[in-house]
Amino acid sequence: MKRVYNFNPGPATLPLDVLKEVQAEFLDFDETGMSIVEISHRSQPYEKVHNQAKADILELMGLGDDYEVLFIQGGASLQFAMIPMNFATKDKKGSYALSGIFSSNAYKEAENLGVGKIAASTKDENFCRVPRQDELKIDADAAYFHICFNNTIYGTEYHYIPETGGVPLFADMSSNMLSRPVDFKKFSFIYAGVQKNLGPAGVVIVVAKKSLIEKSLETLPTMLRYDTFYKKNSLYNTPPAFSIYVVGKVARWIKNSGGLPVMAQRNFRKAKILYDVIDESDGFYKGHAHKDSRSLMNVTFRLPNEDLEKKFVAEAAENNINGVKGHRLVGGMRASIYNAMPIEGVEVLAEFMKKFQRKNKG
Amino acid sequence: MKRVYNFNPGPATLPLDVLKEVQAEFLDFDETGMSIVEISHRSQPYEKVHNQAKADILELMGLGDDYEVLFIQGGASLQFAMIPMNFATKDKKGSYALSGIFSSNAYKEAENLGVGKIAASTKDENFCRVPRQDELKIDADAAYFHICFNNTIYGTEYHYIPETGGVPLFADMSSNMLSRPVDFKKFSFIYAGVQKNLGPAGVVIVVAKKSLIEKSLETLPTMLRYDTFYKKNSLYNTPPAFSIYVVGKVARWIKNSGGLPVMAQRNFRKAKILYDVIDESDGFYKGHAHKDSRSLMNVTFRLPNEDLEKKFVAEAAENNINGVKGHRLVGGMRASIYNAMPIEGVEVLAEFMKKFQRKNKG
């Protein structure tokens, strides 16, 4: 079996042990005589998977019974619309910090509904950092304050939790969910498309205060109301069972590895290896993110010119390094090093970067 | 490996050959060195899967370039809302034939938006048949006329294609999509949650006339506009890649088996075996559906009393027959015999039914 180091931003590398487990039991799940993709979502074997995944996620986040985990389809992009539809009004708008494309898209959905307001933006600096606390202009009567906690495209991440003056804090954590301990209790509503750190594309995990989601506007379509998911344990209709099942295994893998403190330790170490190569390259590699906003998950950097960048991607592939081409909005390279990227993969990339620099520094 | 005969209504049994293929290549897809759940949706290996699945579905349906295949998350239940949001207005309402729970739910979403109207209903007969052509009251200026082509819960199916007098025909085909040749050209908009006949839960296939979906209302949220999916080849955001990948394999399996004519031949034969047992049981087994509305996919029947029904389910399980308990709204039994249910499974069930009757006819 061939296995590459997969630095794609999402879908992304998953723990090999989890993949092997999925493969081993794919034809006969839990002695049911059926595949996990064939069993009824109303059956006891499936409900066990579903409820265990929810419980493990809450436990990893250190959250209690006042929070609920929902599984919703449609990607974070559908959440961008559901959030203002459910929570904002023209009188109590949603307040948004723009720190990249996804936070801007989230704001656009609210704006399209006439219920969005910008609290801060670093667009003028090509989103090379997240807004600072002192830049946030959050209206006291805002329905919520929304941030994107890690910006996949730009390689930036919040290293502080914004103070909102009592306004409920909402966060898109699609690209750093469960990557390190965070005081999640400070958030009222967290959501994450799972395809970066947690599992196969097809489900968004919402972790929200029950008090927020237990009753939705009856004028909203059934599938756009959070209370539909809350009241029915995310089983109002057939859930994306396979994605939830793998997410459950990944959550278990995180727990068995030592939980978020151990993930953080590994992720800090991996990120440091790559940022050190950049910082010690005498300017050959230029990081896109400001140092105080550097993401532990997505390391973005440029090379001296585009020809070298193309050469870098091509030669990386020859060295079993896949998916390092950056997003067109930033250019250059991006190495996504989520929980499941092993330290060896990062070491291989770091060595390759140093060698590439030596050969090409002109 | 244990393998049961899985008569669940969905998620449901899938072709064993497809499951084995998925399992075999799960750690290394198409020599990428990555699992199908890890590869980028912007990569060439994934796009090949995505586009081939679309092409095979259109080919199986005998549709040409004036139709487009979309992959959308959220289940058929989200389509119930997206359809009226995209196509109906208070002046040009959506017209609905109610033939079961799902068609009624579809209507409710339109009604909630103030844009729905009932064209016919068989609710007074506990949905034991689909409405007849002569019962359909479709306004000439309706935006569309919506039917549920097969009613999973009640075990009924349309065996004719409604004449609509020029009103675009929309159909939920979640439970009989690709089960038999249909003159699909008579439909403007077809959709199907895949978890019954086509693959793992997590994606809805929409097959629609391009002219309908190429431009949507700009006031709608991005993820609720069909043109978002149309313009971006259903890759505006990360698609539910694993479900699409398996759907592609199932479509290929149907093609390699001889296409829809062969599926129909097998499905007619399987359904006849079970309906014959019912009809020849001297009233021990009572079919729920009227004969002219009988579904080829879901065979619903009751036993003389509830105690016998419980006994039937329990003894069936001992005979490797799983998932035959009916929906609470109909009671009794339901055997779902989608494309992937082998004839042997149906024969085993038929033999069990006959034996059960002999032992319990009192």
Side-chain angles (χ1 to χ4, degrees):
Chain A
M1 186 192 76
K2 184 181 157 194
R3 184 96 183 143
V4 300
Y5 293 113
N6 172 5
F7 292 94
N8 276 296
T13 195
L14 289 172
L16 187 57
D17 287 347
V18 166
L19 296 175
K20 284 182 176 169
E21 250 185 64
V22 172
Q23 183 183 45
E25 65 193 32
F26 192 67
L27 296 185
D28 182 7
F29 173 70
D30 199 13
E31 298 180 359
T32 57
M34 299 178 259
S35 171
I36 183 70
V37 298
E38 300 179 302
I39 67 173
S40 170
H41 59 299
R42 309 281 180 212
S43 68
Q44 196 266 338
Y46 176 70
E47 287 195 359
K48 200 172 126 192
V49 166
H50 188 93
N51 294 332
Q52 189 65 50
K54 288 177 58 179
D56 285 345
I57 289 165
L58 277 189
E59 186 188 325
L60 284 167
M61 298 175 83
L63 294 173
D65 199 38
D66 48 335
Y67 283 83
E68 177 75 7
V69 177
L70 310 176
F71 297 121
I72 306 183
Q73 296 183 62
S77 297
L78 184 59
Q79 294 306 305
F80 298 165
M82 280 178 70
I83 288 170
M85 289 172 97
N86 276 267
F87 301 116
T89 63
K90 290 192 199 300
D91 296 327
K92 273 177 82 73
K93 289 188 176 175
S95 178
Y96 289 80
L98 311 193
S99 57
I101 293 306
F102 295 108
S103 51
S104 301
N105 285 350
Y107 164 69
K108 273 182 209 157
E109 296 296 333
E111 191 201 18
N112 190 34
L113 297 162
V115 298
K117 195 165 175 186
I118 297 174
S121 172
T122 53
K123 190 180 179 187
D124 289 348
E125 299 167 54
N126 198 20
F127 296 125
C128 64
R129 62 176 182 87
V130 301
R132 292 184 308 271
Q133 176 72 50
D134 62 54
E135 295 173 307
L136 306 177
K137 292 185 175 48
I138 308 169
D139 288 349
D141 65 347
Y144 54 81
F145 172 59
H146 179 282
I147 60 173
C148 183
F149 208 46
N150 184 82
N151 301 283
T152 322
I153 291 173
Y154 298 92
T156 64
E157 184 168 7
Y158 280 84
H159 294 292
Y160 73 100
I161 298 179
E163 285 297 332
T164 62
V167 171
L169 181 57
F170 282 38
D172 177 356
M173 294 196 186
S174 293
S175 50
N176 64 348
M177 183 78 161
L178 304 190
S179 67
R180 57 182 167 98
V182 170
D183 190 355
F184 293 107
K185 289 187 197 73
K186 291 195 172 163
F187 296 82
S188 295
F189 191 102
I190 293 162
Y191 63 105
V194 303
Q195 70 273 12
K196 296 168 189 295
N197 239 326
L198 300 174
V203 72
V204 168
I205 296 171
V206 169
V207 184
K209 281 194 177 156
K210 287 181 177 173
S211 55
L212 261 178
I213 56 172
E214 61 195 0
K215 185 86 191 81
S216 306
L217 285 174
E218 293 190 1
T219 48
L220 288 176
T222 308
M223 294 301 290
L224 302 176
R225 294 168 57 159
Y226 288 108
D227 66 352
T228 298
F229 294 86
Y230 174 63
K231 287 176 186 165
K232 298 282 190 181
N233 192 26
S234 300
L235 291 164
Y236 170 79
N237 68 346
T238 317
F242 182 76
S243 291
I244 295 168
Y245 153 80
V246 181
V247 166
K249 282 192 187 292
V250 172
R252 183 55 59 101
W253 172 83
I254 295 174
K255 270 179 72 173
N256 292 344
S257 303
L260 302 194
V262 170
M263 290 299 118
Q265 207 179 344
R266 291 185 191 170
N267 289 329
F268 276 108
R269 191 169 152 213
K270 290 185 301 187
K272 186 175 187 311
I273 290 172
L274 295 182
Y275 286 121
D276 280 354
V277 173
I278 292 169
D279 292 342
E280 292 162 9
S281 73
D282 291 325
F284 184 82
Y285 296 114
K286 283 195 176 62
H288 176 74
H290 276 205
K291 285 192 181 179
D292 56 6
S293 286
R294 278 176 166 176
S295 167
L296 300 177
M297 299 283 100
N298 312 96
V299 177
T300 49
F301 56 97
R302 301 214 54 157
L303 273 70
N305 60 62
E306 288 192 11
D307 285 344
L308 278 178
E309 289 174 346
K310 275 180 198 151
K311 197 174 166 191
F312 186 97
V313 172
E315 290 187 12
E318 291 165 16
N319 285 269
N320 234 20
I321 294 165
N322 188 287
V324 289
K325 189 171 185 298
H327 193 280
R328 66 187 157 72
L329 291 171
V330 176
M333 303 298 130
R334 171 177 49 185
S336 297
I337 49 174
Y338 302 118
N339 286 346
M341 171 57 68
I343 187 106
E344 304 82 58
V346 172
E347 284 166 347
V348 165
L349 173 59
E351 281 313 306
F352 171 76
M353 286 173 71
K354 288 187 224 168
K355 204 170 123 192
F356 188 88
Q357 182 183 352
R358 280 196 300 273
K359 278 169 54 189
N360 294 283
K361 66 183 163 192
Chain B
M1 186 192 77
K2 183 181 158 194
R3 184 97 182 142
V4 300
Y5 292 114
N6 173 4
F7 291 93
N8 276 297
T13 195
L14 289 171
L16 186 57
D17 287 347
V18 166
L19 296 176
K20 284 182 176 169
E21 250 185 64
V22 172
Q23 183 183 45
E25 65 193 31
F26 192 67
L27 297 184
D28 182 7
F29 174 69
D30 199 13
E31 298 180 359
T32 56
M34 298 177 261
S35 172
I36 182 70
V37 297
E38 300 179 302
I39 68 174
S40 170
H41 60 298
R42 309 282 180 211
S43 68
Q44 197 265 337
Y46 176 70
E47 287 195 359
K48 200 171 125 194
V49 166
H50 187 94
N51 294 333
Q52 190 64 51
K54 287 177 58 178
D56 285 344
I57 290 165
L58 276 189
E59 187 187 325
L60 283 168
M61 298 175 83
L63 294 173
D65 199 38
D66 48 336
Y67 284 82
E68 177 74 8
V69 177
L70 311 177
F71 297 121
I72 307 183
Q73 297 183 61
S77 297
L78 185 59
Q79 294 305 305
F80 297 165
M82 280 178 70
I83 287 169
M85 288 171 97
N86 276 266
F87 302 115
T89 63
K90 289 192 199 300
D91 295 327
K92 275 177 80 74
K93 290 188 174 173
S95 178
Y96 289 80
L98 311 194
S99 58
I101 294 305
F102 294 109
S103 52
S104 301
N105 286 349
Y107 164 69
K108 273 183 210 157
E109 296 296 334
E111 192 200 18
N112 190 34
L113 297 162
V115 298
K117 195 165 174 187
I118 297 174
S121 172
T122 53
K123 190 179 180 190
D124 289 348
E125 300 167 53
N126 198 19
F127 297 124
C128 64
R129 63 176 181 88
V130 301
R132 292 184 308 270
Q133 176 72 51
D134 62 56
E135 295 173 305
L136 305 177
K137 292 186 175 48
I138 308 170
D139 288 349
D141 64 348
Y144 53 82
F145 172 59
H146 179 282
I147 60 172
C148 183
F149 208 45
N150 184 82
N151 301 283
T152 321
I153 291 174
Y154 298 92
T156 65
E157 183 168 8
Y158 280 82
H159 294 293
Y160 73 100
I161 298 179
E163 285 298 332
T164 62
V167 172
L169 181 58
F170 281 38
D172 176 355
M173 294 197 186
S174 293
S175 48
N176 64 348
M177 183 77 161
L178 305 189
S179 66
R180 57 181 167 99
V182 169
D183 190 355
F184 294 106
K185 288 188 197 73
K186 292 195 172 164
F187 295 82
S188 295
F189 191 103
I190 293 162
Y191 63 104
V194 304
Q195 70 272 11
K196 295 168 188 295
N197 238 327
L198 300 174
V203 71
V204 168
I205 296 171
V206 169
V207 183
K209 281 193 177 156
K210 287 180 177 173
S211 54
L212 262 178
I213 56 172
E214 62 195 0
K215 185 89 191 80
S216 306
L217 286 174
E218 292 189 1
T219 48
L220 288 176
T222 308
M223 294 301 290
L224 302 176
R225 295 168 57 159
Y226 289 108
D227 66 353
T228 298
F229 294 86
Y230 174 63
K231 288 175 185 165
K232 298 282 189 182
N233 192 27
S234 301
L235 291 163
Y236 169 79
N237 68 346
T238 317
F242 182 77
S243 291
I244 295 168
Y245 153 81
V246 181
V247 166
K249 283 193 187 290
V250 172
R252 183 54 60 100
W253 173 84
I254 295 173
K255 271 178 72 173
N256 291 344
S257 304
L260 302 194
V262 170
M263 290 299 119
Q265 208 178 346
R266 291 184 192 169
N267 289 330
F268 276 108
R269 191 170 150 212
K270 289 185 301 188
K272 185 173 186 314
I273 290 173
L274 296 183
Y275 286 121
D276 280 354
V277 173
I278 292 169
D279 292 342
E280 293 162 9
S281 73
D282 291 324
F284 184 81
Y285 297 113
K286 281 196 177 62
H288 176 75
H290 276 204
K291 286 192 179 179
D292 55 6
S293 286
R294 278 177 167 176
S295 168
L296 300 176
M297 299 283 100
N298 312 96
V299 177
T300 48
F301 56 96
R302 302 214 54 159
L303 274 71
N305 60 63
E306 287 192 12
D307 284 344
L308 278 177
E309 289 173 348
K310 275 180 197 153
K311 197 174 167 190
F312 185 97
V313 172
E315 291 186 12
E318 290 165 17
N319 285 271
N320 234 19
I321 295 165
N322 187 286
V324 288
K325 189 171 185 297
H327 192 281
R328 66 186 157 73
L329 291 171
V330 176
M333 304 297 130
R334 170 176 49 185
S336 297
I337 49 175
Y338 302 118
N339 286 345
M341 170 56 68
I343 187 107
E344 304 82 59
V346 172
E347 284 166 347
V348 165
L349 173 58
E351 282 312 306
F352 171 76
M353 286 172 71
K354 287 187 225 169
K355 204 170 122 192
F356 188 88
Q357 181 184 352
R358 279 197 300 274
K359 278 170 53 188
N360 295 282
K361 68 182 161 190

